[in-house]
Amino acid sequence: MRTPLVVGVDAGATSTRCLVSAIDGTVLGRGHAAGANQNSSGGRPAEALAGALRMALEGLDPAAVELGVIGAAGAAAAGAAEARQAAEEAWHATGLGGALRSVTDLEVAFSAGTPHRSGLLLLAGTGAAAVAFRDGVPFVRCDGYGWLLGDEGSAVWQGREALRAVLCAVDGRGPATLLTGPVSAALEVAAQDDPEGHAQALVRVAYRRPPAALGLLAPLVGAAAGAGDEVARGITAAAAGHLLHALDVVARRGGRPAGSPVVLAGSVLLSAGPVADLVRAGIQERFGAGPAEARDGAAGAAALAVAALTGSPLDPAVHARLTVSR
């Protein structure tokens, strides 16, 4: 008798990750590709999804896959149809015939951090959002509106604020900042004696890149803040404030059952840095306990697939096997 397999995919704005597992949580394959967010990644999301799927399925029988869950950034109501279309295109392009479910990156992130079905999620990577979950379903959501309209505190938000601060420093509207050199170098803009020429070169490069690329500037903000730069410190403090405020909103509006987890997800909150430190301290102060961590969104998607396929709450032991550090 063939062992049924599941597929979990976390299609983020910066990268796409895929995991294939047995229903007992044994991981059998992994794949990765470029970002697959139709709003900010550039390129064709279906191609990135298909690339990650092919890599994860290498050496495995696609016919054994009975269910896949693809979680995609930008797949909430406003982008659900496009995300579903890209997922189905990639699914069939890789020869998969099992059932397919398309969900948001928020659902796979929460599932990656805990086997519990209720609690709070705070995500800050390329984008940012806070969510209260009830019985595995997003009940109240705050932000996650994308680089243009929201995602306050995210890597892209920090990168945009850093570039704004550098432009202000260059043209004289704002104070000098240690960010000017590193941000210019990251955008491959040479230092210039002419302030207007320097500013225009930065603007030209920034507008030619996908919005998600601004997130690559976020680590420079943390480094400058650690070096004592007041402008960078202001950006990191504002980022943490936005994120904690969003968490407060969903905790108030959605409630938090006693003992339920607060899950952190995304590179901003799972990497060392001043924003992560401030947010963790704020969570400890508010809830009296530290947060859980969602390190692998693809594992979270696979966990959702296992639970759906078996029709039972996810066994914590299965969750542990799927999400164990590798």
Side-chain angles (χ1 to χ4, degrees):
M1 181 178 179
R2 186 168 59 192
T3 301
L5 305 181
V6 299
V7 168
V9 179
D10 179 21
T14 304
S15 65
T16 299
R17 299 187 180 277
C18 178
L19 181 152
V20 181
S21 80
I23 59 173
D24 68 354
T26 301
V27 177
L28 302 173
R30 295 183 184 274
H32 58 84
N37 184 335
Q38 66 264 20
N39 294 328
S40 60
S41 296
R44 296 189 68 249
E47 291 180 359
L49 289 169
L53 285 165
R54 289 190 184 97
M55 183 182 295
L57 288 163
E58 188 173 353
L60 300 173
D61 181 6
V65 175
E66 296 194 8
L67 177 62
V69 171
I70 295 182
E82 293 87 348
R84 178 71 188 186
Q85 181 178 350
E88 290 180 346
E89 183 179 337
W91 193 253
H92 297 305
T94 50
L96 290 162
L100 174 64
R101 296 188 179 185
S102 180
V103 301
T104 70
D105 58 330
L106 303 175
E107 289 160 88
V108 301
F110 185 71
S111 178
T114 178
H116 294 281
R117 290 172 54 79
S118 297
L120 305 178
L121 170 72
L122 181 61
L123 181 149
T126 304
V131 186
F133 282 82
R134 283 190 186 178
D135 296 324
V137 177
F139 180 67
V140 175
R141 169 177 166 159
C142 186
D143 205 354
Y145 301 135
W147 66 273
L148 181 62
L149 301 176
D151 287 350
E152 295 181 338
S154 69
V156 170
W157 183 92
Q158 291 179 57
R160 187 187 65 197
E161 293 302 301
L163 184 52
R164 283 178 170 176
V166 169
L167 288 169
C168 287
V170 169
D171 70 15
R173 289 176 296 147
T177 171
L178 294 177
L179 288 166
T180 300
V183 166
S184 299
L187 295 177
E188 299 179 342
V189 171
Q192 300 182 33
D193 293 331
D194 173 26
E196 183 175 353
H198 190 175
Q200 291 301 320
L202 288 169
V203 170
R204 183 167 56 252
V205 172
Y207 278 114
R208 287 178 177 175
R209 298 188 178 189
L214 286 175
L216 299 176
L217 302 178
L220 303 179
V221 180
D229 184 74
E230 290 301 322
V231 172
R233 283 183 173 180
I235 294 173
T236 57
H242 286 310
L243 294 169
L244 287 169
H245 180 58
L247 187 64
D248 288 339
V249 169
V250 297
R252 182 180 71 250
R253 293 177 57 209
R256 176 177 173 262
S260 63
V262 178
V263 175
L264 296 185
S267 59
V268 171
L269 298 177
L270 299 182
S271 301
V275 176
D277 291 344
L278 289 168
V279 167
R280 288 173 183 273
I283 290 172
Q284 183 70 41
E285 179 182 351
R286 286 162 170 76
F287 303 109
E293 297 182 348
R295 291 280 174 184
D296 188 350
L304 292 174
V306 170
L309 190 61
T310 62
S312 303
L314 190 67
D315 186 329
V318 173
H319 185 271
R321 280 193 287 273
L322 283 168
T323 58
V324 65
S325 298
R326 60 190 191 280

